[in-house]
Amino acid sequence: MSKILVAYFSASGVTKAAAEKIAKEMDADLFEIRPLVPYSEEDLDWRNKKSRSTIEMRDRKSRPELAENIDITPYDQICIGFPIWWGVAPHIIYTFLESHNFRGKEIFPFATSGGSGFGLTGIDIKTCAPQAVVHPGKIVR
Ligand SMILES: Cc1cc2nc3c(=O)[nH]c(=O)nc-3n(C[C@H](O)[C@H](O)[C@H](O)COP(=O)(O)O)c2cc1C
């Protein structure tokens, strides 16, 4: 039987709740993608042009550092969950994707949002994990 991993980033808990539910339903392992420096409430203020999240999301090359990582070798199928930020995945997701070799693995992206759809997020995921088979992303509610 193939092993499934649900890896997620969540800043305010919504995606975390979804990830926990998905992992339980799929009998999958769960891994929280955490930034080395946690996001404060001010960091998450998208109305502020100078907030950390705004600065990171405006810089396509920003890659927030991970607090810890996981060996994905045992997993064939990896669900990756995140909140939609500025229409795409928070850049820490790119940090995570680029830190692994996804050869022979399938990625199933899912996200929560305040209303936005998945947009072009799948293209960015494929760019950061070129060896993976990336399935169409889903917004979960
Ligand atoms: C910095 C930032 C940017 C966001 N950008 C969007 C967006 O472009 N579209 C949208 O629908 N929601 C946006 N949201 C709302 C989140 O996607 C939504 O609240 C999500 O469910 C939060 O998940 P979390 O609790 O796991 O962090 C944004 C939130 C933050 C903090």
Side-chain angles (χ1 to χ4, degrees):
M1 232 176 72
S2 72
K3 270 188 89 179
I4 305 170
L5 176 70
V6 175
Y8 71 95
F9 164 70
S10 179
S12 57
V14 179
T15 311
K16 180 186 173 81
E20 285 171 352
K21 204 168 167 206
I22 290 168
K24 200 169 173 206
E25 275 171 19
M26 298 178 88
D27 198 20
D29 291 344
L30 194 60
F31 176 71
E32 181 174 5
I33 298 167
R34 284 190 306 114
L36 184 63
V37 180
Y39 289 92
S40 67
E41 221 162 285
E42 296 97 75
D43 289 342
L44 298 171
D45 185 358
W46 65 85
R47 294 176 205 88
N48 179 354
K49 283 189 178 151
K50 289 184 180 153
S51 75
R52 176 181 167 196
S53 59
T54 306
I55 291 167
E56 281 178 5
M57 295 308 286
R58 280 181 153 198
D59 176 5
R60 282 188 63 82
K61 292 196 175 127
S62 76
R63 295 291 184 272
E65 225 180 305
L66 302 173
E68 68 208 339
N69 214 330
I70 183 174
D71 177 12
I72 64 164
T73 313
Y75 303 100
D76 303 318
Q77 299 184 315
I78 300 164
C79 303
I80 297 190
F82 47 86
I84 296 288
W85 281 9
W86 295 104
V88 291
H91 288 182
I92 191 165
I93 294 297
Y94 303 159
T95 312
F96 178 78
L97 293 171
E98 289 170 356
S99 73
H100 294 290
N101 183 344
F102 285 89
R103 192 173 303 281
K105 300 187 190 295
E106 292 176 85
I107 292 178
F108 297 85
F110 66 95
T112 68
S113 80
S116 292
F118 214 77
L120 300 175
T121 311
I123 295 172
D124 289 340
I125 290 174
K126 183 71 192 166
T127 304
C128 293
Q131 309 97 338
V133 172
V134 181
H135 293 274
K138 276 204 182 113
I139 298 286
V140 294
R141 302 201 186 276

